[in-house]
Amino acid sequence: MLLTIAVLVCLLSCGDEIDFDIDQERTEEPLKFIEFVLFPTAPYIDKSYIEKVPEDEVAFRDIDFEAEIEAIQEVYRAFTKAYLAKDMRALSKTLDRAEGIEYGTSTATVYGWNDVKIYIEVNWGLPTFWRECQEAPNWSLTNFYIRPKNVKVPWTEASATGNMFYYRVDFPLISVCYVDIGRFYFTKKSGEWRIHQIDGAKYFADDKYKVP
């Protein structure tokens, strides 16, 4: 097969010097096709003719920002509702429990679904659990960044910030709820958004992915 291709290349490239430019145009596309079919992943083949879309242009292709934001907001609201209700089954449905899940705390970062699950259950058992504060926050995310799949990872991903209530402190005459702003990292796999990290390492805020 390779011998046949070599002969074909020779035949295509032969000709008078005066017709060199014309022959080059006629043979360029067949040669590109041969390269692509036989050696699609070969690093030593010049693939400069393959379209390369700038990353900042890819970031805004075919993204319905309004629809994606609403879907992400819904996951966030479901997460906070399940957290306040201490409903682990419902809460787990809002999380991407694949490798790399992280939950940042005030003292350390918890890695892996089993340890994250244990941390949340322990937190639910503390006397300062923030259920009394549940009427105060506005459960809406802000500062959205959305990055399409295959720019950095093979799925669409997003970052946003939102309220996270960690503890309540009781003083003699008043109880105070302390609020921290959580940094959420979302992944969209199989058409569904999930929370993959809270205050984790994958949160991104690159200007080129800022939702307009």
Side-chain angles (χ1 to χ4, degrees):
M1 182 177 180
L2 291 175
L3 179 60
T4 303
I5 293 170
V7 173
L8 175 61
V9 171
C10 181
L11 290 174
L12 290 172
S13 60
C14 292
D16 297 334
E17 292 293 333
I18 194 170
D19 295 327
F20 178 77
D21 291 338
I22 298 175
D23 289 344
Q24 186 177 25
E25 289 182 10
R26 291 176 179 174
T27 60
E28 187 176 6
E29 292 304 322
L31 288 174
K32 291 174 184 177
F33 178 77
I34 291 169
E35 287 181 359
F36 182 77
V37 171
L38 289 180
F39 314 105
T41 60
Y44 50 82
I45 291 179
D46 179 17
K47 298 184 177 66
S48 60
Y49 51 82
I50 299 176
E51 180 187 14
K52 293 182 174 65
V53 181
E55 186 176 308
D56 54 350
E57 183 179 339
V58 173
F60 292 94
R61 279 192 172 185
D62 304 322
I63 296 180
D64 185 341
F65 289 106
E66 186 175 345
E68 299 293 12
I69 287 175
E70 180 53 36
I72 294 169
Q73 293 277 26
E74 186 59 33
V75 173
Y76 172 67
R77 287 190 290 264
F79 166 80
T80 55
K81 181 179 179 180
Y83 196 102
L84 291 168
K86 298 185 181 181
D87 186 342
M88 182 58 70
R89 182 176 181 181
L91 184 109
S92 65
K93 293 179 180 179
T94 69
L95 301 175
D96 178 2
R97 293 172 286 167
E99 182 179 357
I101 187 171
E102 295 180 12
Y103 196 124
T105 73
S106 58
T107 56
T109 300
V110 183
Y111 302 94
W113 167 238
N114 287 334
D115 288 344
V116 168
K117 180 174 180 289
I118 291 171
Y119 169 78
I120 293 174
E121 290 175 335
V122 169
N123 199 40
W124 282 346
L126 297 176
T128 56
F129 176 66
W130 36 270
R131 61 182 179 275
E132 287 87 355
C133 302
Q134 59 185 295
E135 300 300 327
N138 173 20
W139 297 119
S140 293
L141 294 165
T142 58
N143 302 319
F144 281 91
Y145 299 83
I146 298 179
R147 190 157 55 195
K149 65 180 181 180
N150 297 323
V151 173
K152 297 292 184 181
V153 291
W155 50 74
T156 306
E157 54 184 348
S159 289
T161 56
N163 290 328
M164 286 294 294
F165 277 36
Y166 289 102
Y167 50 87
R168 174 177 61 85
V169 177
D170 295 322
F171 294 100
L173 299 178
I174 191 173
S175 295
V176 178
C177 293
Y178 284 85
V179 184
D180 283 340
I181 300 299
R183 301 183 306 145
F184 292 82
Y185 170 72
F186 298 82
T187 56
K188 186 179 183 181
K189 300 176 181 178
S190 301
E192 298 291 336
W193 284 104
R194 295 288 184 270
I195 300 170
H196 191 56
Q197 292 186 358
I198 302 173
D199 287 332
K202 292 186 177 181
Y203 175 88
F204 61 94
D206 300 339
D207 289 340
K208 68 179 69 175
Y209 307 114
K210 178 74 173 177
V211 173

